[in-house]
Amino acid sequence: MFRFPRPLMALALAAAALVESPLCAADPAPFDLPGPGLRIMVTRGDKSLPIAEVPNLATGDRLTIDADLPSDQRARYILFSAFLSGATNPPPKNWVQSAETWKSKDKDRRLTLTVPKGARQMALFLVPETGGASGTIVDAVRDRPGEFVRAVQDLNQASLDRSRLNAFVAAIRAQENSHPEFLRTLAPALSNSLAIKLNPDCLARVIELQAACLLENRDSLVLADIHSSSMTDTLIGAPTDLALQLSYTREAGLGYYSPYIGVIRDIARVFGAFGNPQFSYLPTLATREGDRLSLLLNAAPSFAKPKSVLVAAMPAIDASSPPRLRVTGDAPLCGARPALVLPVEGAPLIYSTAFARNMRVSLTGANGKTIDVPVRARADRGGYVLTEPLPAGALSGKVTAKLHGEWGFDGFEGPSFTLQFPDGGEWRAGDAGQSLVVGRDNAVTLSGPAAACVTGVTMRGPGGTAQPVPFTLRGTDGVTVTLPLKNARAGEIRLEVQQIGDSTPRSVSLRAYSPASRIDTVTLAKGDRFVTLTGQRLDEISGVEVGDVRLSPDGLTREEDSDRLVATAADGRVPDGTSAKIRLTDGRTLSVPITPAPPRPAATLIARSLTSKDTAGAVALATRDENVLPDNNRLTFSVRAAEGSRLAPTDAIEVATGDGAATVLLEGGRDVRLSSPDIAVATLDPARLGPAAAGPLRYRIVRGAIKGDWTPLATLVRLPRIDGGGCEQNGCWLEGRDLFLIDRVAASADMAGAVGVSPGYTAARLAVPSARDGVLYVALRDAPNVVFTMGLKS
C-alpha cells in the first residue's frame, strides 16, 4: 500500500469525511483506483512538449488540455482549470476556465490556455455535469485560495514521489520475471538511485521470496528527495543523505519550510470547508506518460448528490530548478570499459520522470577534440550509460566528460567526470621497487597511464611461474600491488599490467634481494633462561650463544616495523654474559652486546584458603585436596616476593587457565593488598574467569608492562548442584542440575564399582550406587583424580 506524507493523509481523510460522516479514524485507502486521463501539451515560444517532460510552467506558456475519456463514456464531465496566485490573493474570475468534454468541436471540449502573469499554481477539476457548476467552482477557488494552494502543492509533490515508487516496483517486478537471482545486487542500486527504503533482510531470503518481501509495506518505501523535497516521513536506516533531507526547499513562491522539523498541517479542513449538498471533492494523483496525465483515486467517485469533483494538480508555475547532480566518488573512470556508467546521485527524478531529456556527454581530450555521445539514466546502474559506442581509437589518455541536456524547456548542465583511456605508455615502479626483500610481503607502487583501466597485475618470479597479485588504485595515475615474496627466492621479478583496451600487457622488471638480519637489541633479564632479540629478518637466526649456554629460537613475532625473537636455553640453564653470538642460517655469525635488564617480578605461593558462596539448599561436595578450587568458593591466597626483591602496592596478579583461554587481572590496591613489603594477599572469584573456565590455574606478577613467570595456583573445578537424593525399590538416585559435570559416583573412597556419567548427560536425576552410612564418593569431570565426598540426609 502506498501511503503519502502526513499532509496528504489528511487530505485523503478529508475526502472520506465528505462521503461518510463522521470522519473515520482509520488510515486512508491507497491511491490505486484508475481514474480518467487528460491529454496535455505545453508550448513555450516555438517549442512544444508533452506534459511528462515539463517539470514546471512559466508565465506565457500555452496549454492545450483535452479530457481522455473512453468512447463509451456515459457520465458527462466539465473540465475546469484554475490559476492561483498564492494563499492571500484570490484569483480573478477569468482565471477559471471550463470546457464541456462531450462536445464535438475542439474549441468547446478543449481548454486552450495561456499562463497569466502573476499565477503561481494551477489546478484542474473534472466536475460531473450539473447546473450551476461553474459558479460553484469559481466561488470555491476565490473564497479559499490558500487551501487550494496547499492541496496543489501536496498533490503535485506526492505525484512525483509516486513516480519514484512506480519506477522501483516496475524494476523489481521486471527482474523477478526475468532473472530473480540478480535482485540481491539490483535492489540496493535501485534503492540508492530512487531514494527508496530497502529492507536488507529481504535479500537474505530464498530467491523466490525476495521480490515480494522488497515490495511489502509500500506506504513506508518512499524517502526524502533533495531535489523535489518529498513530503514523506524520513525513515531511519535510509540510504540517503540526512543532511540533504534536512534542507529547506522553496515551494512555488510561498516561502521556505521543512517537512522534517515542523508543522503538521490539517488538510482535512481543506475540502471540508467547501462541502455542500451539490459537490464533494476527491484528490487525485497524477502519473505522466507522454502527453497523458493519468489520474489515480483512493475512493470511488459519486454521481449522486453530493457529486464528486476530481481535483488534479499541475506543475508549479515558477522558475526552472534543474537538479544538482553530484558525482559518486572522485576517482577517475575508465572510458574504455564496456557499459561505462557515469555515476551520479542527488536527483531520483532523473530516473523516474522524463524531465531530463536529450541527455548527452561531451568528451574532450587533451588535443581539444570533442565528441558528443547520447546517454540514458539507469536507476539499476546508479547513473548515466552511453547509448552508442565510442568511435574506436578516437580518444586516449586523460579525457574530460561533461554531462548536459535539457530540463523541460531549459538547458541542463550536469557534473564533469575524468575518464582515462590507455595510450600505450610505459609503467614504472616507485622507490620501493628497488628494495624488494624475499621472505615477506612487499608493497610496490606502479605508475602509468590510465590506472582506472587496470584489470589485473601478474607477477612472474625467478622460476617463471605466473601468479596474479592484488592491487588497489592509488591517486589518478598509479596502483599499489602487494607482492607475496614470503616463500620466494631472490632474483628477477617481472610484473605484467593488464588494462581494458590494451591488448598487450605492460611489463615492469624488478629484483628481489635476500637481506641479512639486522639485530637492534639483545635483552637479558637477570635470572631468565631466555634472551629477547629485536630487529629485522630475525627469521634467519638459527641459534644464539651466551658464554657456554646455547639458546634456540622459541617464537618469532612482528611488532609494527620490527621483528621480536625469543631464544631459550635448551638445557634450562641461566645464561650470563655481556655479549651474544648470533648464528645465521647461511652460516654467518654476528656478535651483539647484551642489554641487561632487572629481574622480572616473581613470587611463591605460601598459603590458600576458601570461602564458600551462598549455596543454600544444595548438598555440599567436600574434598581434602587443598589444591582444588570449587567454583562456588572464593580463593584467598598469599604470595612471597622472590629472595632479594620486594612487592609494590601497584603490583597486580594475573590469573589464567592453563590454556590461556580465560584470564583475569587482580589489581593492586583492590584485589591485591600488601601484608608486608614482601608478602601480598589476593582474592579471586572464579566467576570472573567466565562460566567455561576449568582445570589448572596459574598466576604471575604483573608490574606495569613487565610480567613474571607463570606459577601453578589451583585446580578450578565446576560443581554440579545436587538438591538431594534417595533410594527406591529399583535403586538409588541423585537429583539436581548440571549433573553432566560428574565423571563417576561410587559408594567407597577407592571408587570401586563406580557408576560413570556420560559427557552429554542432560537429565535432572542420576542413578547411583546405594550410599554407605549416607555417604557417596564423587569424581568430577574437571578433576577426575580428585575424590569428593557427599553426605545425604537419611
Side-chain angles (χ1 to χ4, degrees), residues 104 127 169 243 312 341 381 423 430 574 576 598 691 773:
S104 58
V127 184
V169 172
V341 177
R381 304 289 298 279
D423 59 5
V574 176
D576 185 22
D773 299 326

Side-chain angles (χ1 to χ4, degrees), residues 153-347:
Q153 290 178 168
D154 292 342
L155 287 172
N156 186 42
Q157 180 59 58
S159 296
L160 295 177
D161 292 341
R162 180 59 178 258
S163 73
R164 294 190 285 124
L165 178 65
N166 288 346
F168 180 76
V169 172
I172 293 294
R173 289 299 185 207
Q175 194 68 34
E176 179 188 26
N177 294 333
S178 57
H179 296 285
E181 65 274 14
F182 297 145
L183 275 177
R184 187 164 296 170
T185 55
L186 176 75
L190 290 171
S191 170
N192 287 324
S193 298
L194 295 166
I196 295 293
K197 180 176 173 60
L198 180 70
N199 180 0
D201 293 339
C202 294
L203 302 179
R205 298 192 177 187
V206 296
I207 291 175
E208 292 76 12
L209 300 179
Q210 289 178 6
C213 176
L214 288 169
L215 300 181
E216 286 178 350
N217 302 318
R218 297 187 193 178
D219 56 338
S220 65
L221 293 180
V222 181
L223 299 172
D225 167 18
I226 176 58
H227 174 66
S228 62
S229 185
S230 171
M231 298 291 291
T232 44
D233 294 335
T234 301
L235 300 176
I236 295 175
T240 54
D241 188 338
L242 294 181
L244 296 177
Q245 291 181 9
L246 295 174
S247 63
Y248 289 78
T249 303
R250 189 163 60 93
E251 288 289 338
L254 294 181
Y256 289 75
Y257 69 90
S258 170
Y260 309 103
I261 62 174
V263 182
I264 302 175
R265 299 171 298 177
D266 186 8
I267 304 289
R269 295 173 295 177
V270 173
F271 293 147
F274 308 138
N276 59 60
Q278 188 175 12
F279 292 122
S280 64
Y281 293 81
L282 290 182
T284 67
L285 290 186
T287 60
R288 312 185 198 186
E289 185 175 357
D291 66 345
R292 193 173 197 276
L293 197 72
S294 301
L295 304 183
L296 294 174
L297 313 175
N298 75 330
S302 171
F303 295 96
K305 291 185 177 182
K307 297 182 179 180
S308 298
V309 175
L310 307 185
V311 184
M314 290 288 284
I317 305 168
D318 202 358
S320 177
S321 179
R324 296 180 181 179
L325 293 179
R326 303 188 305 275
V327 178
T328 305
D330 56 1
L333 306 172
C334 180
R337 187 178 299 278
L340 171 66
V341 177
L342 302 177
V344 294
E345 61 182 10

Side-chain angles (χ1 to χ4, degrees), residues 430-495:
D431 293 341
Q434 307 303 317
S435 57
L436 297 183
V437 177
V438 297
R440 65 184 68 187
D441 292 346
N442 289 250
V444 177
T445 298
L446 304 178
S447 300
C453 295
V454 174
T455 58
V457 179
T458 300
M459 181 184 77
R460 294 184 183 274
T465 303
Q467 177 182 1
V469 293
F471 72 93
T472 57
L473 285 178
R474 183 180 182 274
T476 60
D477 59 355
V479 296
T480 298
V481 296
T482 301
L483 305 183
L485 301 180
K486 188 173 184 179
N487 299 315
R489 302 196 313 269
E492 183 179 358
I493 290 177
R494 189 169 79 250
L495 301 180

Side-chain angles (χ1 to χ4, degrees), residues 13 57 65 67 109 151 197 207 221 245 319 325 345 379 390 442 470 517 542 625 643 756 762:
L13 286 171
L57 300 174
I65 307 175
R109 63 179 174 81
K197 180 176 173 60
I207 291 175
L221 293 180
Q245 291 181 9
L325 293 179
E345 61 182 10
L390 294 175
N442 289 250
S517 298
S542 61
D625 191 333
E643 184 177 355
T762 59

Side-chain angles (χ1 to χ4, degrees), residues 78 80 127 129-139 278-279:
I78 304 174
F80 282 88
V127 184
E129 181 187 14
T130 304
S134 179
T136 301
I137 297 298
V138 171
D139 291 343
Q278 188 175 12
F279 292 122

